[in-house]
Amino acid sequence: MTSTFYHYTSLPSDENSREQMQGHYNIPLWLSILLALLGTGLVVAMALAIIFYNQAHSLACMDGFKMEQECQNVTNSLKSKLAQTQEILLKTEAQAATYNQTAVTLMASLKVEQAQGQMLQKQVQELQKEIKTLKQNLQDTTQKLQDTTQKLNQLRKDHESSGPGKGPTDSGNTLSLSMISMLLTLSLLDLLA
């Protein structure tokens, strides 16, 4: 068998050795400072959390939250109204386009009507000139007819006065009537020409 050697460190029993053992468990200075800073930071963080909690649940904060909700509601309402207004605007623009197209069509129709009116005005002027010419012709023909009637009356008087003792005869009346009808026919033909 093989022998096993165990090596035990002996524990000192005196006070010096206790101090050595306690010194052996001393925490380094930098770690102590670090732990102190961490503890202080934790306390500060806890204090800030408590302050924040109190502020978050204070009346002013609650009022602010309510105001924010009201603003959100007003914003949603305004967005809805804006959407409705935009929809109305699109409909209005479509109607305006329709009205513009109708106006263009009406303007084209108006131009056609104006052109036709001008043509009718020219025709009326031409007809007025023709009527004026016809009136003048009628006046001329009437004057000729009056002149002819006077000549005819003069001829009849001359014819009656040329035959002493002779009264009016039927042949003279027939001659006068045939002359009048012939002159009237000639006057109408002249008028129509």
Side-chain angles (χ1 to χ4, degrees):
M1 280 198 135
T2 61
S3 68
T4 318
F5 295 104
Y6 293 102
H7 179 51
Y8 293 104
T9 53
S10 63
L11 292 174
S13 59
D14 61 348
E15 249 183 75
N16 263 345
S17 52
R18 271 191 188 168
E19 286 179 15
Q20 283 181 351
M21 279 181 79
Q22 286 178 356
H24 182 60
Y25 291 107
N26 279 343
I27 299 174
L29 181 63
W30 64 271
L31 186 58
S32 299
I33 293 173
L34 181 64
L35 287 175
L37 286 176
L38 283 177
T40 305
L42 186 59
V43 169
V44 170
M46 292 286 288
L48 289 176
I50 291 170
I51 291 171
F52 178 73
Y53 180 79
N54 286 337
Q55 285 181 350
H57 289 88
S58 69
L59 291 176
C61 187
M62 289 298 195
D63 289 342
F65 182 71
K66 286 179 185 176
M67 293 297 290
E68 183 180 348
Q69 289 297 324
E70 288 176 14
C71 287
Q72 190 67 27
N73 291 340
V74 169
T75 301
N76 290 338
S77 174
L78 290 175
K79 283 181 181 179
S80 174
K81 287 180 183 179
L82 177 64
Q84 290 174 352
T85 305
Q86 286 174 339
E87 185 177 327
I88 291 170
L89 177 65
L90 290 176
K91 287 180 182 178
T92 305
E93 286 175 348
Q95 285 178 344
T98 303
Y99 294 155
N100 286 340
Q101 184 62 36
T102 304
V104 167
T105 304
L106 289 175
M107 289 297 285
S109 298
L110 179 64
K111 286 181 182 180
V112 168
E113 290 294 325
Q114 286 176 342
Q116 289 177 349
Q118 288 175 352
M119 283 179 36
L120 288 174
Q121 185 68 24
K122 286 180 183 179
Q123 289 176 348
V124 165
Q125 288 174 352
E126 290 174 4
L127 289 174
Q128 286 175 344
K129 286 179 184 178
E130 190 175 329
I131 288 171
K132 188 176 180 181
T133 304
L134 289 174
K135 280 183 179 179
Q136 185 63 40
N137 288 342
L138 181 62
Q139 286 175 354
D140 291 346
T141 305
T142 304
Q143 186 63 36
K144 285 179 185 178
L145 183 59
Q146 286 175 353
D147 291 345
T148 307
T149 304
Q150 284 178 356
K151 285 180 184 178
L152 183 61
N153 286 337
Q154 185 65 33
L155 283 175
R156 188 173 5 138
K157 284 182 183 179
D158 287 346
H159 181 59
E160 287 175 1
S161 66
S162 67
K166 293 184 176 179
T169 60
D170 285 335
S171 65
N173 285 340
T174 307
L175 181 63
S176 295
L177 290 176
S178 64
M179 287 286 270
I180 289 174
S181 64
M182 183 177 80
L183 286 174
L184 284 175
T185 307
L186 287 173
S187 303
L188 286 175
L189 287 175
D190 188 32
L191 182 65
L192 294 174

